[in-house]
Amino acid sequence: MIILERVNKIYHIDQEFTLHVLKKVSLKIRKGEFISIIGPSGSGKSTLMYLVGLLDRPTSGKILVEGKEIETFNDDDLSSLRNEFVGFVFQQFNLINKLTVLENIILPTIYSRKRLDFNPKERALYFLKKFGLEGKETAYPNKISGGQQQRVAIIRALMMKPKLILADEPTGNLDSKTGLEIMKLIAKLNHEEKITVLVVTHDIQVASFAERLIEIKDGKICRDTKVR
Amino acid sequence: MNYLFFVVKNAIEDFKKNKTQTFLTSLGIMIGVFAVVMLMALGLGLKKYINDQFAQLGKNTLFIVPGKIIQGGSFNVAATLQSVKFDNRDLARIRKLRGVEEVAPIYSAQTQVKSSKGSEEGTIIFSNEAFFEINGFKIKIGRFFDQNEVIKRSKVVVLGSKIAEKLFGKPDLAVNQRLSVSRISYTVIGVIEPEGGGGFGGPDYDNYLFAPYTTGYIFNPQKDFSRIALQFDDEKFTLQEIKDSIIREMLKRHNDDSFSLIEPGEILRAVNSIFSILNFVLVAIASISLVVGGIGIMNIMFVTVTEKTREIGIRRAIGARKKDILFQFIVESTLLSLFGGSIGLGLAFLLTLLVQRFIPAYIDIYSVLLALGVSSFVGIIFGVFPAKKAADLSPIEAIRYQ
């Protein structure tokens, strides 16, 4: 589904100092996989995730999404792909606090350019009920618990029926019990909805939910194993 | 949910959360729009007032005044002080001219007027029955004097509404009362409707008294007049034809530079053009505050972009394009500016209502459209740079922004 070929990512901090974050990384993400990327802080795992999530472009190398090279895409195309193809779940939840839970959830549909085959509000309410957040639609994110916020973020990620969910330390700001619940939820989406999942974490317990484990160190993939 | 509705609602939610900042940011535009609309209202009011005053005279009215008032294209103020006066022979000659319908001699005097209730300093105009018609006066109570009373030198007087009030308490009480003008006793026969003159150019007829010119010879032993007002038949004759024949007739007895013909339309055009220029200059000066207000908005919008960097990152991550971010911030700055503009307009409207009691002022639909149009325009123009900055943020850096 997504192929990375010899991808380099170099950040130019200033004229003298450059940071070589990813070094010739090649990776193939197949449809329906549940992958965990683990590694110490600063190893480049988040950068890898953002490249896969089309939030950034590689300095060199190729990224192909469903066979198309993103090099040829302009900013609008990438935005549309992020909107329709990818769903993000972040460590800090990244909900917009001035918008209600419902407004946060339907935000991706507001930015969508394609004709929706569902009613955004109905779909949002369906997920809220399914994820045990019924009655929270008019609440503001900072008025609900961390676990609830993360579930709202997951619903937002699911709104546009994405093929890929990218989660960056999704349990990092949650207690272990809530974190476990969130991971179970993500795993369920992978199993039942056949959505490809890529989780970036340094928590082995979180990583253990995945069927494929990629370890990254100093910008290079040092291990890529099928664990299940 | 509709895209535009969502963006606007978002911006309004933001304003609600930062009420003080929103108010202070739009204050500049508020003051700017207030100043511009207020000046336009005063300008318009003044212009309308002057136009109304002249409209009463009608376009078929002409005045013959002493001296050369307009010389080489400019007003010759000294000319109006010249002592050349007109007399009954001039009146008779003008009256005979073809096309001239009504002629009124005018002589005015400043004098002490006494009633049973009190005494006032007043201006009395000595003229004939045609004067009322030429000036478009309407009677409020009683009647005007007629030709017969002019011929008979009847000591009758018609009062302006204000002087009637001052002398008798109420205009209704004035009729049939006696009045002494420089110790000569007159009978009040009528009071005219308020004319609303005075203050800005134009005579304050409401404070004037009007009596047959034949009774005024006691003030005016030479029996001459300072002005002649006339009305002509503007269906059969053109203004130029009438002017030419009057000039020809007048030149038989007077020098070319000892009299002038004044048509109200000419003065009106001159006054109008002066007011238009004056108003334009004032509004242009006031507009500077709009620019300053716009810069204030731009400044705060830059701060807002920094404050919202993470929000921008989130929006970009879930699929907002650069245009969406650009649009969001331009909508925000435009609404800020429109908000300020609307409040400024509202304040100007209230103040206009208040000052209308004292001086003429009014807000027309163009002022409203201009105020709202200019504030939207300022919002868009000064919102573009901050919005561009927001749209050009790299999504990855924005979302990682702490």
Side-chain angles (χ1 to χ4, degrees), chain B residues 90-199:
Chain B
D90 292 316
L91 201 65
R93 280 162 176 264
I94 299 294
R95 189 173 272 139
K96 271 190 221 146
L97 290 176
R98 271 162 50 83
V100 172
E101 288 175 334
E102 304 275 3
V103 182
I106 297 166
Y107 177 82
S108 63
Q110 197 74 22
T111 174
Q112 198 68 26
V113 187
K114 266 188 207 157
S115 73
S116 53
K117 293 241 171 88
S119 160
E120 286 287 335
E121 182 78 15
T123 303
I124 183 158
I125 289 186
F126 293 104
S127 189
N128 62 8
E129 73 289 348
F131 179 83
F132 301 112
E133 157 121 34
I134 293 171
N135 278 289
F137 286 178
K138 286 184 191 72
I139 196 82
K140 184 182 169 75
I141 185 154
R143 60 179 180 86
F144 295 125
F145 53 78
D146 58 24
Q147 196 179 7
N148 225 352
E149 282 165 319
V150 175
I151 294 166
K152 283 182 176 164
R153 303 180 70 168
S154 302
K155 302 232 169 17
V156 290
V157 66
V158 174
L159 303 182
S161 60
K162 275 189 200 159
I163 190 102
E165 217 164 292
K166 283 181 196 162
L167 289 170
F168 297 99
K170 270 170 84 180
D172 312 34
L173 301 176
V175 178
N176 293 328
Q177 297 290 314
R178 296 196 74 77
L179 197 68
S180 113
V181 179
S182 294
R183 278 184 234 143
I184 299 162
S185 184
Y186 278 84
T187 306
V188 179
I189 57 164
V191 178
I192 58 168
E193 287 274 3
E195 287 293 309

Side-chain angles (χ1 to χ4, degrees), chain B residues 47-304:
Chain B
K47 206 166 157 178
K48 186 174 184 295
Y49 172 84
I50 292 164
N51 277 288
D52 287 350
Q53 295 284 308
F54 278 102
Q56 244 178 25
L57 290 172
K59 55 184 192 304
N60 57 342
T61 309
L62 274 175
F63 292 98
I64 308 171
V65 297
K68 205 86 221 149
I69 298 244
I70 293 171
Q71 221 158 32
S74 62
F75 278 104
N76 176 12
V77 180
T80 56
L81 304 172
Q82 247 175 282
S83 61
V84 175
K85 298 278 172 77
F86 310 115
D87 57 19
N88 264 315
R89 284 172 66 194
D90 292 316
L91 201 65
R93 280 162 176 264
I94 299 294
R95 189 173 272 139
K96 271 190 221 146
L97 290 176
R98 271 162 50 83
V100 172
E101 288 175 334
E102 304 275 3
V103 182
I106 297 166
Y107 177 82
S108 63
Q110 197 74 22
T111 174
Q112 198 68 26
V113 187
K114 266 188 207 157
S115 73
S116 53
K117 293 241 171 88
S119 160
E120 286 287 335
E121 182 78 15
T123 303
I124 183 158
I125 289 186
F126 293 104
S127 189
N128 62 8
E129 73 289 348
F131 179 83
F132 301 112
E133 157 121 34
I134 293 171
N135 278 289
F137 286 178
K138 286 184 191 72
I139 196 82
K140 184 182 169 75
I141 185 154
R143 60 179 180 86
F144 295 125
F145 53 78
D146 58 24
Q147 196 179 7
N148 225 352
E149 282 165 319
V150 175
I151 294 166
K152 283 182 176 164
R153 303 180 70 168
S154 302
K155 302 232 169 17
V156 290
V157 66
V158 174
L159 303 182
S161 60
K162 275 189 200 159
I163 190 102
E165 217 164 292
K166 283 181 196 162
L167 289 170
F168 297 99
K170 270 170 84 180
D172 312 34
L173 301 176
V175 178
N176 293 328
Q177 297 290 314
R178 296 196 74 77
L179 197 68
S180 113
V181 179
S182 294
R183 278 184 234 143
I184 299 162
S185 184
Y186 278 84
T187 306
V188 179
I189 57 164
V191 178
I192 58 168
E193 287 274 3
E195 287 293 309
F200 292 95
D204 184 8
Y205 284 135
D206 293 343
N207 267 320
Y208 282 23
L209 300 91
F210 308 91
Y213 72 96
T214 45
T215 66
Y217 290 154
I218 189 152
F219 299 94
N220 178 19
Q222 303 90 355
K223 299 185 180 181
D224 55 17
F225 317 117
S226 53
R227 266 190 294 163
I228 296 172
L230 63 94
Q231 218 168 50
F232 60 90
D233 180 353
D234 63 347
E235 278 167 22
K236 292 194 188 126
F237 299 88
T238 65
L239 176 66
Q240 200 52 51
E241 283 168 353
I242 295 291
K243 273 169 111 176
D244 287 346
S245 69
I246 291 170
I247 289 169
R248 229 178 291 124
E249 196 59 44
M250 290 297 286
L251 281 177
K252 289 177 188 166
R253 294 189 65 218
H254 300 274
N255 291 330
D256 175 45
D257 58 359
S258 63
F259 71 94
S260 305
L261 282 185
I262 296 180
E263 50 163 315
E266 192 178 53
I267 302 174
L268 187 62
R269 274 193 297 279
V271 170
N272 268 345
S273 77
I274 291 168
F275 269 111
S276 297
I277 293 168
L278 198 69
N279 209 27
F280 178 80
V281 170
L282 286 175
V283 168
I285 292 169
S287 305
I288 294 172
S289 57
L290 280 175
V291 176
V292 176
I295 294 169
I297 286 186
M298 181 157 71
N299 201 6
I300 291 298
M301 287 309 292
F302 272 121
V303 176
T304 307

